[in-house]
Amino acid sequence: MSSEGASGAAMGGQLEEKVDLAGETDAKILQATTLAMSSSSQLPEALALLAAMEKKCRLGNDSASLVKVCEASVKLAKEYGADTQYESLIGVLETLSTRRSQKTAAVKALVLACLPWCVEEPYKPIAVANDDEKKRRDKLVNALLEITEGKIFLERERAQLTRAMAAIKEEEGDISGAADQLQDVHVETFGALSKRDKVEFILEQMRLTLAKQDFIRAHIVAGKVSKKHLAEENMEEYKVKFYELMTIYHRHKKDSFELAKDYHAIYSTPSIQASPEKWKPALEATICFLALSPYGNEQQDMMNHIAVGNMAHLEQVPAFQQTIQVFLKKEIIQYPMAAQKELEQIGPIIQQQQQQSSSKMDDDDSSASSSLADHWHSVFRRRIIQHNIRIVAGYYKQITVPRLATLLQLDPATTELEISSMVSDGSVYAKIDRPASLVRFLAPKSPEAILTDWAADIDHMLRLVETTSHLINKENMTAQ
């Protein structure tokens, strides 16, 4: 078989024969370029010349020459096409990429050659000056998305194009469409992307789903981010961004303890610790939302950890230091607290995060911010009441309702309501004797517990008798 007639097909189990067509390829490309430059009407003839050469290179298994021909074809279609909407370019792209037995190197070369004409590195769509340029750019992005669909060797390029298309839709005000565009790509399964690229892509998915107000989907997407990866040194920027997005989700859920953990994660980041302008708001928000959190072992452990391990920083925010000390003491808290005004000034933080959760603001946003601030205000009042009831329960076996209401700065009816609520959720034991106007906090012991206590007391008494007897005998021996 001559070199000119080689087909490249495998024969008798042998490897495909490769034909060197470099010289002929260069000549054909030069001839096609000259033909296209002479007149735009000659472009179809020039593309036909390159199409014939592309087939010859493909069948001859000359990948290097095939790549050259494909790149030259799309460049000629772009530069000398008479149409203004990239019709020639997109036609060439679709034709060459769908050839039978087309080489992966050729398809990748086509995409890489066209990518700079619509997308800037890494994910930003190119700027356009008018509607015609925008239409051309958008059509090219859509065409490249169709080509890259389902191709593992073009995962990175598909991620770039998807992000670019989402950015285009977001610029147009179609937040829902932008979010849906990104949801079509399961970037966590892409092997061609680095860990940083995957995390960045997922964070963009989170941002758009939150902007779309799809909080369920946002929570699902957030689960794809590994906390272990965020803890690495070169991931601090993404860690802060992730937890800032999570504050939006947890604020929607009104989950104060999760908000405290989010802000504490931001506060504990080394890059945040290096700047007082950054760590102060994070620490203040952490303490404030801890005070708003329901009482529990984890909440108390976190409070003690902050109080002991961040003394230097707490001294620079005295109002919040006082708050955490007051909640850790076994003392009744007077309402309103001395530092309550400073605590309620985190309202601008709440409003700022709400603005980040929506790409467009309207008159309802200010009312939503106000209602959310009112919610936190009422929750803070209730947390102080619950703290005071736990303190009273620790010091009193029983107390009259009027006296307890005086200590709690409440009326008797509200006092009974708060005690009932705490008894229902199991945070305190109490029984209210309304005719006697008494509240009993001492839980009755079971017969088994009474017997155990009795046995322990008897054992302790016998040990004391034995010790006393031993000392008496020792004294007698010494006197003799």
Side-chain angles (χ1 to χ4, degrees):
M1 180 184 293
S2 65
S3 62
E4 291 293 323
S7 66
M11 300 291 290
Q14 298 177 357
L15 295 175
E16 293 184 359
E17 183 180 356
K18 180 179 179 179
V19 181
D20 187 4
L21 299 170
E24 184 179 355
T25 298
D26 292 340
K28 291 293 184 181
I29 291 175
L30 180 60
Q31 181 182 353
T33 303
T34 305
L35 191 62
M37 292 175 62
S38 63
S39 174
S40 59
S41 61
Q42 297 295 320
L43 179 62
E45 186 176 345
L47 292 176
L49 187 66
L50 291 180
M53 192 65 213
E54 180 272 336
K55 180 179 180 180
K56 194 171 186 179
C57 293
R58 175 162 44 86
L59 297 178
N61 201 30
D62 188 356
S63 297
S65 299
L66 178 61
V67 167
K68 288 183 180 180
V69 173
C70 290
E71 290 177 345
S73 297
V74 293
K75 288 178 181 177
L76 288 181
K78 178 182 180 294
E79 294 177 7
Y80 302 107
D83 58 272
T84 59
Q85 298 298 325
Y86 282 169
E87 297 292 344
S88 300
L89 173 60
I90 292 174
V92 170
L93 270 175
E94 293 175 349
T95 300
L96 293 180
S97 63
T98 55
R99 292 286 196 192
R100 183 175 178 272
S101 302
Q102 184 62 281
K103 307 295 182 184
T104 58
V107 178
K108 188 167 187 176
L110 286 170
V111 174
L112 291 176
C114 296
L115 204 59
W117 300 335
C118 58
V119 180
E120 296 177 355
E121 288 291 342
Y123 306 110
K124 182 180 178 182
I126 63 171
V128 293
N130 51 54
D131 290 342
D132 288 339
E133 291 183 6
K134 184 180 185 307
K135 290 178 181 178
R136 287 202 303 269
R137 180 196 65 186
D138 295 354
K139 287 184 68 174
L140 183 56
V141 171
N142 284 320
L144 292 175
L145 280 171
E146 291 181 6
I147 293 173
T148 57
E149 184 177 2
K151 294 180 173 62
I152 297 177
F153 58 93
L154 290 173
E155 287 178 341
R156 175 179 290 277
E157 290 73 18
R158 180 163 182 79
Q160 285 183 263
L161 291 163
T162 304
R163 282 281 300 273
M165 180 53 70
I168 291 171
K169 291 185 177 182
E170 188 176 8
E171 289 175 359
E172 296 172 349
D174 186 7
I175 300 297
S176 178
D180 293 340
Q181 183 74 40
L182 286 187
Q183 292 308 312
D184 292 338
V185 178
H186 301 284
V187 72
E188 65 275 8
T189 65
F190 284 9
L193 294 179
S194 66
K195 189 189 306 179
R196 288 175 59 88
D197 291 336
K198 289 180 181 179
V199 171
E200 184 180 355
F201 196 98
I202 293 173
L203 291 180
E204 186 67 10
Q205 287 180 329
M206 285 181 62
R207 184 185 68 82
L208 287 175
T209 50
L210 287 170
K212 183 187 174 184
Q213 305 293 314
D214 188 354
F215 293 100
I216 296 176
R217 174 68 64 180
H219 182 63
I220 295 173
V221 174
K224 299 178 182 180
V225 179
S226 171
K227 306 293 178 61
K228 181 178 67 174
H229 293 163
L230 292 177
E232 297 177 4
E233 291 184 5
N234 62 339
M235 302 291 284
E236 290 184 5
E237 176 187 354
Y238 299 127
K239 176 185 175 183
V240 172
K241 185 176 180 181
F242 171 77
Y243 283 108
E244 285 177 347
L245 292 171
M246 289 306 295
T247 60
I248 301 174
Y249 172 77
H250 289 133
R251 185 167 288 105
H252 169 74
K253 292 293 183 180
K254 298 180 180 179
D255 192 334
S256 51
F257 187 60
E258 288 298 329
L259 279 167
K261 292 198 288 187
D262 293 338
Y263 281 113
H264 188 260
I266 295 172
Y267 166 74
S268 61
T269 306
S271 61
I272 300 297
Q273 293 271 335
S275 173
E277 292 79 12
K278 294 180 179 179
W279 66 255
K280 277 187 179 181
L283 179 59
E284 291 171 355
T286 300
I287 295 172
C288 185
F289 284 113
L290 270 178
L292 291 166
S293 302
Y295 179 85
N297 293 333
E298 192 175 0
Q299 181 250 13
Q300 287 292 296
D301 179 70
M302 193 171 176
M303 269 195 171
N304 282 284
H305 175 74
I306 293 174
V308 174
N310 302 278
M311 292 296 295
H313 284 176
L314 284 174
E315 290 174 357
Q316 300 183 44
V317 284
F320 295 87
Q321 183 182 29
Q322 180 184 357
T323 299
I324 204 167
Q325 290 173 348
V326 164
F327 273 91
L328 289 175
K329 286 181 180 178
K330 301 299 182 183
E331 298 178 0
I332 288 179
I333 301 174
Q334 296 298 319
Y335 185 86
M337 291 174 52
Q340 186 163 336
K341 184 177 181 181
E342 287 81 356
L343 290 176
E344 292 179 348
Q345 286 178 350
I346 70 161
I349 298 178
I350 297 174
Q351 185 176 4
Q352 178 185 0
Q353 296 296 339
Q354 284 187 335
Q355 289 172 353
Q356 292 177 357
S357 69
S358 177
S359 61
K360 57 181 181 178
M361 303 294 292
D362 52 29
D363 294 338
D364 295 336
D365 292 322
S366 58
S367 60
S369 177
S370 177
S371 63
L372 190 56
D374 292 340
H375 167 76
W376 294 130
H377 181 82
S378 62
V379 169
F380 187 66
R381 175 75 174 110
R382 193 174 184 193
R383 295 293 179 247
I384 292 177
I385 294 172
Q386 292 172 348
H387 170 85
N388 291 342
I389 291 175
R390 282 193 300 271
I391 298 303
V392 172
Y395 285 105
Y396 289 85
K397 292 182 180 179
Q398 66 179 25
I399 187 174
T400 63
V401 174
R403 174 58 178 160
L404 180 57
T406 302
L407 292 174
L408 299 180
Q409 298 175 285
L410 299 172
D411 58 86
T414 307
T415 301
E416 290 186 8
L417 183 64
E418 291 295 340
I419 293 174
S420 301
S421 176
M422 293 183 69
V423 170
S424 297
D425 61 31
S427 58
V428 72
Y429 175 87
K431 280 194 173 182
I432 301 175
D433 184 352
R434 281 188 168 175
S437 192
L438 282 175
V439 180
R440 293 185 176 89
F441 293 109
L442 185 63
K445 293 183 178 180
S446 64
E448 292 81 4
I450 294 174
L451 183 60
T452 300
D453 290 344
W454 178 83
D457 290 342
I458 294 296
D459 182 67
H460 181 62
M461 182 188 69
L462 292 175
R463 287 181 183 277
L464 288 175
V465 171
E466 183 181 359
T467 302
T468 304
S469 176
H470 174 73
L471 291 173
I472 291 172
N473 290 332
K474 184 178 178 180
E475 288 292 332
N476 290 334
M477 292 291 292
T478 304
Q480 294 175 0

